[in-house]
Amino acid sequence: MSILCNLQNINLAFGQKIIFDNAKFTLNKGDKIGLIGLNGQGKSTLFNILADKVNPDTSQPPFIFDKNKELFTLFYVPQEIDVHGFTDLNINNFFLSFYPELYQLHLKLEQVSHMLTEDYTNEKLLDQQQNLLDKYESLDGWNIENAYNSYLNYFELDNNAMELKDLSGGEQRKLALSIGLSSKANLILWDEPTNHLDVETIEKFEDELMSSDKTFMVISHDRYLLNHVTNRIIHIDRGLITSFKGTYLAYLEHLEEKEKERLKNLNTLENKHRRELAWMRQGIKARGTRSKKRVEGFDNIKSEITNLKAKSRKVAKLSLTHSGKKSKKLIELKDATIGYDEKILFNELNITLYKKDKIALIGPNGAGKTTLINVLRDQLALNSGNRKALDDLKVITFDQKRESLDPDKTPFEVVGDGQDFVHLGDGSQKHVMSYLENFLFSRDQIKRPIYTLSGGEKNRVALALLFTKKVDCLILDEPTNDLDIPTINILEEYLASFDGALMFVSHDRYFVDKIASKLLIFKGEGYIEESHQTYSEYLDIEETIEEVKSYEKTFKEEAPTIVNVKNEKKQTKLSYKEQRLYDTLPDEIDTLETAVEKLETCLGNPECYQKQGLSVVSQELESQKAILEEKVEQYLEIEMLIEEFS
């Protein structure tokens, strides 16, 4: 296996925050890597180091970045793309914004073409245009452009009249997928490529990654995608980079085994610590110098226990608290008509949200899921019909944009609200430090201003604040976007224990499978289907239905040909050509059978096949056998025709 690049002695810190501590990493050709770790731990930073956008700190020994000069070419697809910074581009040529040299050629070609409209016989301009076109082709511009436009069609983003500035979040991601997949580089870096995408598009993207021979690294919270498309997991944790060869699921099993081993070692050390502690309490004064080693050993045991506990997986043992209302029916829509700007999305819609419901809203972007949520939250009025809600109903929506967080305050100040203890919805209280540690914050992060935290860390603060409240109904719109996997695991634990109603929109298949007890599926044209299957089961059934429809369509398209054949005049005797073949084929078949027999005999005799060469005799035998088989088949077909005539 060829090595694409090798990085050694990676050290990087931002102030007091250590990102990499003498880390190392090797990338091989053909690697399909899932890059995981908490937000703020260095995943995007590693991408930027690979892309030469960030330089590690000066260290001793020095940072080493060895690249395979023949193989290493890199293309980085960021989490957000700048659709507003290139006003002279449209959807069909937006890929140029990622290729500075091609983009400059494009601008010059546009300029020359405009000048030629006024002076189309100018030889100098024509030569300049041809030179620019030749340069564009030499940089593989046309092939990249064709591949890019092909992917736009594949992802159904083919509206040429659409303005870049009007693209939704999901459409921008489709644009980014098309740009990344059309790249000719050997290494593609994908940063959260499936955010805002519907499941159909995600599955198309998965298919492309699985069939690609390119090396890639992907940062993603989509655990199904990680498990399907990767053959190696890279985990960034506490400044170090660890590598595991296998799928994401296999890595989780590996971590589980390591955790069991760690707990076993911890239990052994704690037992030893208790014995040594009892010995220490007897008094050290009268023991003499021989006891010093034992005292040092006691200190070492304490240090090992501390290290093992630090490495142990933290498990949140808290729960989201229901307000205590006993009514089962929380919100009801009856004969509701919903729409805006003269566009009606739903007619005579009837939906009831009960206590303990855990409902996932499923459907493509633009189907009306967020609109329905806004109606349930009483943020959008009905065109007609009725909305009834329980008096004093406590409805909370997860603030995905984190607008409620004061950037100048610390997580301690935001969650504790100026106190040392956080008061939980069930009436209990917990020290703010301990509470925030359940959300995977270190003591250093708890005291830092929120503006210094990464996006994922801010999300964890928002979640920590959310779970201190009493609530009857929780509404989440794409809650897993921008969250790292450990934080999603925390969110899942809380939601599983929640006793109130939950309604959420998510394209995260694993999250929906784990949380939802019911699906509301937006089928289009105002129709919503209810299902109690898991999301995976529903998708499997839908795929089967589509296959049946495709088969039926093909059958119907071919049916007229069958009818036409039946209406043709029925053949009653052999044609001249068929009769001629019927007469001559027996002799040809006899001759071929004799030739095959001789060649087989020759292959069994070294003196024979050595004269002509073993490969020559073998190839001739295969050729004669193929011709013989074809002639026999022709003869049998004619005999079947004769039987039909009789």
Side-chain angles (χ1 to χ4, degrees):
M1 184 178 291
S2 301
I3 293 177
L4 283 183
C5 64
N6 182 33
L7 293 83
Q8 298 286 333
N9 312 318
I10 313 171
N11 291 278
L12 184 64
F14 298 127
Q16 297 298 313
K17 184 177 181 180
I18 295 174
I19 304 298
F20 293 114
D21 183 11
N22 205 33
K24 58 184 178 180
F25 172 59
T26 300
L27 186 62
N28 303 304
K29 188 175 185 298
D31 278 345
K32 299 178 185 294
I33 292 174
L35 183 58
I36 64 172
L38 282 170
N39 282 113
Q41 293 290 310
K43 299 190 297 295
S44 294
T45 304
L46 180 59
F47 273 11
N48 283 318
I49 290 172
L50 287 166
D52 288 326
K53 294 182 178 181
V54 168
N55 294 316
D57 295 335
T58 303
S59 62
Q60 196 58 245
F63 169 64
I64 297 172
F65 190 177
D66 281 335
K67 302 174 187 176
N68 187 321
K69 293 179 181 178
E70 295 180 2
L71 296 176
F72 188 87
T73 51
L74 179 144
F75 193 87
Y76 185 2
V77 186
Q79 193 168 343
E80 301 291 338
I81 58 174
D82 180 16
V83 296
H84 302 291
F86 295 86
T87 54
D88 53 340
L89 297 178
N90 56 41
I91 287 178
N92 289 328
N93 60 17
F94 183 72
F95 75 98
L96 292 168
S97 65
F98 281 75
Y99 298 89
E101 201 168 352
L102 289 178
Y103 177 60
Q104 291 302 318
L105 286 171
H106 163 77
L107 294 178
K108 290 175 183 176
L109 277 166
E110 289 282 298
Q111 185 181 11
V112 171
S113 296
H114 178 71
M115 292 167 67
L116 279 169
T117 58
E118 299 175 357
D119 187 7
Y120 61 88
T121 60
N122 188 313
E123 291 289 338
K124 188 176 180 180
L125 285 175
L126 288 170
D127 287 343
Q128 188 179 352
Q129 183 187 52
Q130 188 58 52
N131 289 334
L132 291 170
L133 289 170
D134 290 343
K135 184 69 182 297
Y136 193 87
E137 184 173 6
S138 71
L139 294 172
D140 217 12
W142 300 119
N143 287 330
I144 295 171
E145 185 171 342
N146 289 335
Y148 166 72
N149 279 283
S150 176
Y151 278 116
L152 288 182
N153 291 327
Y154 179 61
F155 292 120
E156 299 177 5
L157 193 63
D158 51 1
N159 187 348
N160 295 337
M162 193 180 294
E163 295 283 340
L164 284 168
K165 63 181 177 61
D166 296 330
L167 294 178
S168 67
E171 288 164 339
Q172 288 184 33
R173 291 316 304 161
K174 289 181 178 181
L175 207 66
L177 296 188
S178 301
I179 291 166
L181 290 170
S182 59
S183 169
K184 304 301 180 183
N186 289 329
L187 171 61
I188 313 294
L189 306 181
W190 297 98
D191 193 347
E192 290 290 0
T194 60
N195 269 5
H196 310 293
L197 290 178
D198 55 57
V199 171
E200 182 182 356
T201 305
I202 292 172
E203 289 182 337
K204 284 182 175 181
F205 178 57
E206 281 180 358
D207 289 342
E208 289 302 307
L209 289 185
M210 291 171 72
S211 61
S212 172
D213 59 356
K214 290 184 182 297
T215 304
F216 66 78
M217 296 178 68
V218 57
I219 299 170
S220 179
H221 65 267
D222 188 326
R223 288 157 288 183
Y224 278 154
L225 180 138
L226 286 176
N227 197 53
H228 289 160
V229 306
T230 61
N231 58 22
R232 184 180 171 196
I233 299 296
I234 298 296
H235 190 176
I236 301 177
D237 184 34
R238 298 180 182 91
L240 298 177
I241 300 172
T242 56
S243 175
F244 176 82
K245 191 173 182 180
T247 64
Y248 177 67
L249 183 59
Y251 182 61
L252 291 184
E253 292 170 352
H254 167 72
L255 288 182
E256 195 67 36
E257 288 301 315
K258 284 187 69 176
E259 184 68 15
K260 288 178 182 176
E261 184 181 345
R262 189 179 293 120
L263 291 174
K264 183 180 176 181
N265 292 338
L266 183 60
N267 185 54
T268 301
L269 281 171
E270 285 181 333
N271 287 335
K272 189 174 180 181
H273 178 261
R274 280 193 292 270
R275 290 194 301 270
E276 294 301 298
L277 183 61
W279 177 82
M280 290 285 290
R281 282 173 178 165
Q282 292 174 12
I284 300 174
K285 263 185 188 179
R287 294 202 180 90
T289 56
R290 287 184 301 171
S291 302
K292 288 182 179 178
K293 284 189 178 180
R294 193 166 180 180
V295 174
E296 290 171 0
F298 174 76
D299 291 334
N300 290 337
I301 290 170
K302 286 198 297 183
S303 177
E304 285 184 56
I305 289 173
T306 302
N307 289 336
L308 278 175
K309 284 185 175 179
K311 291 177 182 177
S312 293
R313 188 173 56 205
K314 292 181 175 66
V315 179
K317 295 181 180 178
L318 301 168
S319 61
L320 186 59
T321 308
H322 181 249
S323 70
K325 289 187 175 65
K326 294 182 178 179
S327 177
K328 291 184 178 179
K329 188 185 291 186
L330 303 182
I331 304 175
E332 181 181 32
L333 298 182
K334 195 167 184 181
D335 298 327
T337 299
I338 302 171
Y340 54 89
D341 297 337
E342 300 181 356
K343 180 182 179 182
I344 300 301
L345 293 177
F346 304 104
N347 255 320
E348 298 182 357
L349 184 64
N350 294 286
I351 288 178
T352 304
L353 186 62
Y354 294 96
K355 178 183 176 182
K356 294 191 177 182
D357 270 348
K358 287 184 171 63
I359 300 173
L361 306 185
I362 304 300
N365 296 328
K369 302 185 295 295
T370 302
T371 301
L372 177 60
I373 281 178
N374 287 334
V375 169
L376 292 169
R377 294 173 58 205
D378 205 19
Q379 299 294 309
L380 179 67
L382 297 176
N383 293 50
S384 63
N386 294 303
R387 176 191 180 276
K388 292 182 181 179
L390 199 66
D391 290 339
D392 194 28
L393 184 71
K394 290 181 172 61
V395 180
I396 292 181
T397 303
F398 177 54
D399 180 19
Q400 191 176 318
K401 295 181 180 178
R402 306 176 292 274
E403 291 171 350
S404 63
L405 301 178
D406 185 336
D408 294 319
K409 289 186 176 181
T410 66
F412 187 96
E413 292 168 332
V414 168
V415 174
D417 196 21
Q419 300 181 35
D420 289 342
F421 288 85
V422 58
H423 298 275
L424 303 176
D426 61 1
S428 65
Q429 61 179 22
K430 195 175 183 72
H431 197 279
V432 178
M433 283 288 195
S434 299
Y435 179 72
L436 285 170
E437 283 176 351
N438 278 289
F439 291 86
L440 308 180
F441 284 105
S442 67
R443 301 219 159 202
D444 168 63
Q445 291 171 316
I446 292 169
K447 294 290 188 177
R448 279 167 41 199
I450 282 173
Y451 72 82
T452 67
L453 301 179
S454 70
E457 289 165 344
K458 291 173 185 173
N459 269 324
R460 273 188 270 139
V461 176
L463 283 175
L465 188 62
L466 169 68
F467 290 122
T468 63
K469 304 180 185 301
K470 287 185 178 181
V471 57
D472 297 303
C473 177
L474 187 60
I475 297 179
L476 309 173
D477 193 354
E478 291 291 356
T480 62
N481 276 359
D482 304 319
L483 294 183
D484 50 54
I485 293 172
T487 307
I488 294 173
N489 290 335
I490 291 174
L491 178 61
E492 288 170 347
E493 285 183 36
Y494 277 80
L495 295 180
S497 67
F498 180 44
D499 208 28
L502 170 67
M503 179 173 281
F504 64 97
V505 176
S506 179
H507 294 127
D508 187 327
R509 294 156 293 176
Y510 191 97
F511 182 80
V512 177
D513 276 349
K514 194 166 182 179
I515 300 301
S517 58
K518 182 165 67 176
L519 308 178
L520 290 182
I521 303 146
F522 289 63
K523 307 289 284 188
E525 298 181 359
Y527 175 59
I528 300 177
E529 175 186 322
E530 183 178 309
S531 173
H532 291 272
Q533 302 160 318
T534 67
Y535 194 21
S536 294
E537 288 170 344
Y538 167 73
L539 289 173
D540 287 343
I541 291 169
E542 285 294 295
E543 186 177 350
T544 303
I545 291 171
E546 288 302 314
E547 287 174 357
V548 171
K549 285 181 179 177
S550 177
Y551 172 79
E552 288 175 345
K553 182 182 177 183
T554 304
F555 181 79
K556 287 176 182 177
E557 287 174 351
E558 292 178 353
T561 307
I562 297 170
V563 172
N564 289 340
V565 170
K566 288 183 178 178
N567 289 337
E568 288 176 0
K569 186 176 178 181
K570 189 174 180 181
Q571 187 177 352
T572 58
K573 64 177 183 178
L574 296 178
S575 67
Y576 174 79
K577 182 180 179 181
E578 288 166 341
Q579 185 63 55
R580 177 69 179 159
L581 282 171
Y582 189 64
D583 293 337
T584 59
L585 278 172
D587 290 338
E588 290 183 40
I589 291 170
D590 284 342
T591 302
L592 286 165
E593 285 177 339
T594 301
V596 167
E597 188 176 339
K598 285 182 179 178
L599 288 166
E600 287 176 337
T601 302
C602 184
L603 275 179
N605 183 352
E607 290 184 10
C608 178
Y609 67 67
Q610 284 174 0
K611 290 179 182 177
Q612 303 177 58
L614 180 61
S615 61
V616 173
V617 176
S618 297
Q619 289 173 10
E620 180 64 20
L621 176 60
E622 291 304 313
S623 173
Q624 292 297 313
K625 278 184 175 180
I627 297 170
L628 173 60
E629 189 176 336
E630 183 183 346
K631 298 292 184 182
V632 169
E633 207 169 296
Q634 283 182 316
Y635 188 76
L636 290 175
E637 285 175 357
I638 296 172
E639 282 203 323
M640 287 174 68
L641 277 174
I642 294 171
E643 286 180 13
E644 288 180 12
F645 301 155
S646 60

